[in-house]
Amino acid sequence: MSCVDAIGELETRLGETTLEDVAGRHRRERKELQAKLQAMKKNAPKNNKNKRKEFLEEMARLEGELEQRHKSELEEAAVAPEPIELPVEKPTTVESDNNEDNEVNPTKQQEQRVSKAQKRRNKKEQEAREREQEIRVELQNAANQPSPKQIELQQITAKLSARKLALHMIASDGDCLYHAVRHQLQLHALPGHSVQELRQETANYVRAHKDALICYMTHPDTGDLLNDEQFEDYCHDIAKTHAWGGHIELKALSSLLRVPIEVIQAEGASTLLGQDEFGGAPLIICYHRHIYQLGAHYNSTMPLE
């Protein structure tokens, strides 16, 4: 192998994989996974509790495996490559009976050629090291920055602390709203209900107040108001599946339980439903946008010890 070929091979090896390549590939893989999870979420079974549970577990597993693999690959790519010794081709000896210059000049020319190649190699290696160091600094700075989840938790915790309250964590299983309300009923020594009872009573309330509520109910894909068939499907999902609950379900729960419900979130004022109708101490729950990647979530609260 000639000296020039060795330089070309070395430059190819130096450019194979860098932190920049790894970070770019990770961004693409995260986007692809999110698209896959959204497709899985749309196709998730609504009427089969076991299948729904398996679906949620599979989504969590995929996210965990991707995160673990990305972490390992970043750690491997962050290791600076060891200097690679470039083989230097020995100058060929030119035999001549003429004069000494014929013996010395080819060697000097070869040394000059290798020296220029070495300078180019050193320059490329230095640029690669500087680029990778910049990427490591950027990644470290990003790691040190609080995530949206951390910022949201800090803001909600601060609001609760000011009111002598603390978070009570609720499992993320699609029933978080109903579990949070059930916990509040127990905390306030109010008549208890199971999650399934709360779901069934909420569905009954929405059906009974269709004329007042349907003007606020839109299809998640088209944005159009629900027709009669879609409205009945909506009520069925409340009662028989793990469909996530929102403002309509909160309004229904406040009315059928005849108790105010206050929803605290990170930004903006809290939402208070039923205060004018019922009065008294409200049930206090928290709404999170970023705590889980699969969607919004509700937690309960409890007195700060």
Side-chain angles (χ1 to χ4, degrees), residues 24-286:
R25 177 165 56 80
H26 286 183
R27 287 193 293 271
R28 292 193 301 274
E29 290 179 350
R30 281 192 291 269
K31 289 181 180 180
E32 291 172 357
L33 179 60
Q34 287 303 313
K36 180 178 180 180
L37 293 180
Q38 288 298 326
M40 291 174 63
K41 192 173 182 180
K42 288 183 179 180
N43 297 327
K46 296 181 178 180
N47 302 327
N48 190 315
K49 181 177 181 180
N50 292 331
K51 290 291 185 181
R52 179 70 176 179
K53 181 179 179 181
E54 292 176 2
F55 161 74
L56 293 174
E57 291 175 348
E58 175 65 10
M59 295 181 75
R61 183 186 65 79
L62 290 174
E63 288 183 320
E65 289 180 354
L66 184 67
E67 181 179 352
Q68 183 61 36
R69 179 164 62 81
H70 283 184
K71 180 179 179 182
S72 300
E73 291 178 355
L74 283 175
E75 291 175 352
E76 293 176 3
V79 178
E82 297 181 359
I84 303 174
E85 293 294 333
L86 178 68
V88 179
E89 183 178 339
K90 293 183 178 181
T92 58
T93 303
V94 178
E95 297 181 359
S96 176
D97 296 330
N98 293 333
N99 53 50
E100 187 177 354
D101 289 342
N102 290 334
E103 297 179 0
V104 178
N105 287 343
T107 302
K108 289 184 178 180
Q109 292 173 359
Q110 185 70 14
E111 289 176 350
Q112 290 174 355
R113 182 161 63 88
V114 173
S115 177
K116 291 180 180 179
Q118 182 70 26
K119 288 181 180 179
R120 290 196 299 270
R121 183 177 76 91
N122 291 342
K123 181 179 180 181
K124 286 185 177 294
E125 288 180 345
Q126 180 63 26
E127 290 176 349
R129 283 194 294 269
E130 291 176 354
R131 183 169 63 252
E132 291 181 1
Q133 179 61 27
E134 290 176 357
I135 294 173
R136 280 197 293 271
V137 172
E138 290 177 1
L139 290 174
Q140 186 61 45
N141 289 339
N144 292 335
Q145 293 295 322
S147 66
K149 171 183 175 180
Q150 292 171 323
I151 294 174
E152 183 179 58
L153 280 174
Q154 291 171 356
Q155 292 173 332
I156 290 178
T157 301
K159 287 186 176 183
L160 294 179
S161 296
R163 298 174 59 171
K164 307 297 183 183
L165 295 173
L167 271 178
H168 176 81
M169 305 303 290
I170 298 295
S172 177
D173 57 3
D175 294 328
C176 56
L177 171 61
Y178 303 94
H179 278 298
V181 170
R182 183 171 183 269
H183 174 260
Q184 285 292 302
L185 292 174
Q186 295 172 342
L187 195 65
H188 288 262
L190 294 173
H193 298 264
S194 68
V195 168
Q196 188 54 49
E197 289 172 344
L198 289 174
R199 278 189 170 278
Q200 186 63 59
E201 292 174 14
T202 299
N204 294 341
Y205 180 92
V206 173
R207 284 193 181 97
H209 296 80
K210 176 180 179 180
D211 293 341
L213 295 176
I214 196 169
C215 58
Y216 303 105
M217 303 170 71
T218 58
H219 194 280
D221 296 330
T222 65
D224 297 332
L225 292 176
L226 300 185
N227 57 35
D228 291 342
E229 182 180 356
Q230 292 169 339
F231 175 83
E232 184 54 38
D233 289 341
Y234 187 100
C235 295
H236 173 272
D237 289 345
I238 294 176
K240 303 301 182 182
T241 75
H242 296 280
W244 187 84
H247 188 84
I248 288 177
E249 288 77 7
L250 280 165
K251 170 61 179 173
L253 286 166
S254 173
S255 297
L256 66 90
L257 296 172
R258 303 190 62 78
V259 62
I261 299 178
E262 182 177 4
V263 184
I264 295 176
Q265 52 189 339
E267 298 180 356
S270 60
T271 301
L272 187 59
L273 300 95
Q275 184 66 53
D276 294 337
E277 294 92 331
F278 311 115
L283 311 182
I284 303 176
I285 62 177
C286 296

